[in-house]
Amino acid sequence: MSWSHDCDVTKVLLAQHLWNRTAACSAEEIGTSEGMYDQGPGPRRMQDRPHNTGRVVRIINFERGKNLTKQLPGLAEPFGVITNFLILKRMNEAYIEMSTPEEAMAVADYYSTNEALINGKPVRVNLSQKYKCMKKWEKPEVKSIGKKTETGKVVHLSKLPSSGYTDTEFLKLVEDFGKVKTYILMRARNKSVVEMEKVEDAQDMVKRCETVPLVFNGKTLQVELSERYKKLVLRQSLEFFFTT
């Protein structure tokens, strides 16, 4: 099934969904005005939305493929204005921030009863319970004027799990932000230092993790750009050390 066909199906279902909601609201208003909406004894249906609803929609369980940067926002575009968007490809997870909580709620409501498709396969769409909004960020510009203003490429990660994962699994997490030149993984100290190939990737990693915290094996990691160390060097004894 093509992406364009998925979009057409979504638009048709959305129109039906909005019509049903309008009809339901009209019926409630008529019933209330005529005294017919008394539910009587027993459990009552909650009618008011939570006041602390966020603006962030979470999409998970999608497979990596082409046009994700267009297809994922396309699920939310019919419901309002998208103000921010972040996709974590290696985690198969994406976050979309709408302009209002009502728009975000409309997205979640719609896909709670209608199937969301990416590349023809179903995905899960719901309100983010952890994040209410997303910080604005731009990819930093690197200005270099001589050696004194050189920006480092070393990222410091702390609060790592002490066990239960391989080096390969750790690298897959980090390589979502760019190509890794070298790294030191210190499980016993619950931390790691990673040198990226590009300065931009190191800064981008820190900025993105400020927006959406990096989680690894159930642990929320602390990610910082090293202000002291600019690169990692491998000695002949095969032991890493820092250089400033």
Side-chain angles (χ1 to χ4, degrees):
M1 184 180 293
S2 66
W3 172 47
S4 60
H5 184 268
D6 291 342
C7 290
D8 292 338
V9 172
T10 300
K11 290 178 180 179
V12 171
L13 292 175
L14 173 59
Q16 294 175 347
H17 176 72
L18 295 176
W19 173 263
N20 291 337
R21 288 188 63 180
T22 302
C25 290
S26 299
E28 290 180 2
E29 292 172 0
I30 294 172
T32 302
S33 62
E34 296 181 1
M36 297 171 59
Y37 197 61
D38 184 9
Q39 293 178 310
R44 295 179 180 270
R45 179 172 57 87
M46 295 296 294
Q47 299 179 42
D48 296 329
R49 295 292 188 188
H51 295 291
N52 197 27
T53 303
R55 295 184 284 131
V56 179
V57 176
R58 179 172 178 250
I59 306 175
I60 59 175
N61 295 350
F62 57 85
E63 295 182 1
R64 276 178 277 175
K66 297 180 179 179
N67 297 321
L68 286 179
T69 55
K70 293 182 179 180
Q71 292 191 64
L72 288 167
L75 295 175
E77 283 175 350
F79 300 90
V81 178
I82 295 176
T83 59
N84 211 341
F85 170 61
L86 177 65
I87 177 172
L88 306 175
K89 293 182 179 179
R90 292 191 179 275
M91 299 175 67
N92 295 346
E93 188 172 356
Y95 293 89
I96 298 175
E97 182 184 48
M98 307 300 290
S99 61
T100 66
E102 290 76 17
E103 291 175 355
M105 181 67 73
V107 176
D109 280 349
Y110 177 73
Y111 291 113
S112 66
T113 56
N114 296 276
E115 191 173 49
L117 299 175
I118 294 295
N119 290 325
K121 296 184 179 180
V123 298
R124 289 185 58 188
V125 181
N126 49 43
L127 279 178
S128 174
Q129 300 299 315
K130 188 173 183 179
Y131 307 113
K132 303 300 181 183
C133 61
M134 296 171 63
K135 294 181 181 179
K136 294 287 185 182
W137 65 275
E138 297 180 355
K139 198 164 186 175
E141 294 182 2
V142 179
K143 296 182 180 180
S144 179
I145 306 175
K147 293 184 178 180
K148 291 185 178 180
T149 58
E150 181 182 359
T151 303
K153 299 180 287 185
V154 177
V155 178
H156 180 265
L157 298 93
S158 58
K159 300 183 180 180
L160 280 164
S162 58
S163 61
Y165 60 94
T166 64
D167 282 34
T168 300
E169 291 172 335
F170 172 75
L171 284 175
K172 284 183 179 180
L173 177 75
V174 178
E175 286 173 348
D176 189 36
F177 302 94
K179 189 174 181 180
V180 175
K181 184 174 181 180
T182 189
Y183 71 100
I184 306 173
L185 184 56
M186 296 167 279
R187 290 182 174 84
R189 300 175 66 180
N190 304 102
K191 66 180 183 179
S192 173
V193 282
V194 179
E195 180 182 353
M196 308 299 288
E197 284 281 357
K198 298 179 180 179
V199 173
E200 296 90 337
D201 290 341
Q203 294 183 339
D204 186 32
M205 178 179 181
V206 174
K207 289 292 184 181
R208 286 175 61 181
C209 291
E210 288 177 355
T211 305
V212 177
L214 189 63
V215 179
F216 183 52
N217 282 13
K219 294 279 189 177
T220 300
L221 309 187
Q222 184 173 343
V223 183
E224 300 172 316
L225 190 65
S226 176
E227 296 181 356
R228 181 179 179 184
Y229 304 111
K230 308 303 179 185
K231 60 182 178 179
L232 301 175
V233 178
L234 182 62
R235 278 182 168 177
Q236 292 181 351
S237 60
L238 298 182
E239 293 181 354
F240 286 107
F241 71 98
F242 295 110
T243 61
T244 56

